[in-house]
C-alpha cells in the first residue's frame, strides 16, 4: 500500500517538475504570487501596533469619518482616497487597523501590478503597431 502511494506521489512530483521546466510563464507567475503573499504579510504584520496617528493620518481618517457621518467639510483634494479609508472605517471601526487596511492592500498590490505591467511590456515585442498604449 505504501509503495503504491510512493509511486503515485513520485509521478505527481515528476509531472510538476516537467511542467515547471517547460512553462517559464508558470515559474514567473508563481514567483509573482509568492511575492504578493510576502508583501501582504509584510504590510499587515503589526498593522495596528502603533496606536497614534502617523503623518497624514492626523487628517484623512477624520475626513473619512466626516464623509461617513455626512458632515459637510471643505477639502481641496479629490475624495477617492478618503472614500477608500472610509470603507475601511465602516468595515473595521475607527481604529488604526480600520483606517490603514485598504492602504496596506494597495501597498501590497503595487509590486504585483508592476511585475504584471513589466511582463506585458516585455512580451509585446518592438513592432511599431505593438508600441501604442491602446494595444496593451
Amino acid at each position: 500500500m505504501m509503495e503504491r502511494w510512493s509511486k503515485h506521489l513520485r509521478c505527481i512530483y515528476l509531472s510538476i517538475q516537467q511542467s515547471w521546466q517547460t512553462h517559464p510563464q508558470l515559474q514567473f507567475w508563481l514567483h509573482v504570487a509568492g511575492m504578493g503573499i510576502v508583501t501582504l504579510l509584510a504590510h499587515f504584520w503589526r498593522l495596528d501596533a502603533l496606536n497614534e496617528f502617523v503623518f497624514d493620518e492626523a487628517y484623512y481618517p477624520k475626513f473619512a469619518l466626516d464623509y461617513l457621518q455626512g458632515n459637510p467639510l471643505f477639502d481641496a483634494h479629490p475624495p477617492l482616497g478618503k472614500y477608500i479609508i472610509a470603507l475601511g472605517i465602516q468595515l473595521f471601526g475607527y481604529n488604526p487597523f480600520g483606517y490603514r487596511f485598504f492602504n496596506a492592500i494597495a501597498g501590497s498590490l503595487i509590486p504585483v501590478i508592476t511585475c504584471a505591467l513589466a511582463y506585458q511590456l516585455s512580451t509585446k515585442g518592438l513592432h511599431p503597431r505593438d508600441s501604442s498604449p491602446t494595444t496593451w
Side-chain angles (χ1 to χ4, degrees), residues 84-119:
I84 293 170
I85 294 171
L87 181 61
I89 292 172
Q90 183 75 28
L91 292 174
F92 302 108
Y94 190 75
N95 56 47
F97 186 82
Y99 53 75
R100 293 177 184 157
F101 179 78
F102 284 109
N103 294 331
I105 293 285
S108 298
L109 290 178
I110 287 173
V112 174
I113 292 170
T114 303
C115 283
L117 179 63
Y119 179 79

Side-chain angles (χ1 to χ4, degrees), residues 43-116:
H43 276 87
F44 279 94
W45 181 66
R46 296 177 43 119
L47 183 65
D48 58 351
L50 193 58
N51 287 328
E52 55 194 41
F53 290 121
V54 178
F55 193 56
D56 281 345
E57 288 179 352
Y59 307 106
Y60 294 114
K62 169 84 169 86
F63 289 157
L65 191 61
D66 286 341
Y67 279 121
L68 281 175
Q69 294 172 345
N71 298 335
L73 65 127
F74 173 76
D75 188 12
H77 299 292
L80 179 62
K82 292 173 281 288
Y83 286 153
I84 293 170
I85 294 171
L87 181 61
I89 292 172
Q90 183 75 28
L91 292 174
F92 302 108
Y94 190 75
N95 56 47
F97 186 82
Y99 53 75
R100 293 177 184 157
F101 179 78
F102 284 109
N103 294 331
I105 293 285
S108 298
L109 290 178
I110 287 173
V112 174
I113 292 170
T114 303
C115 283

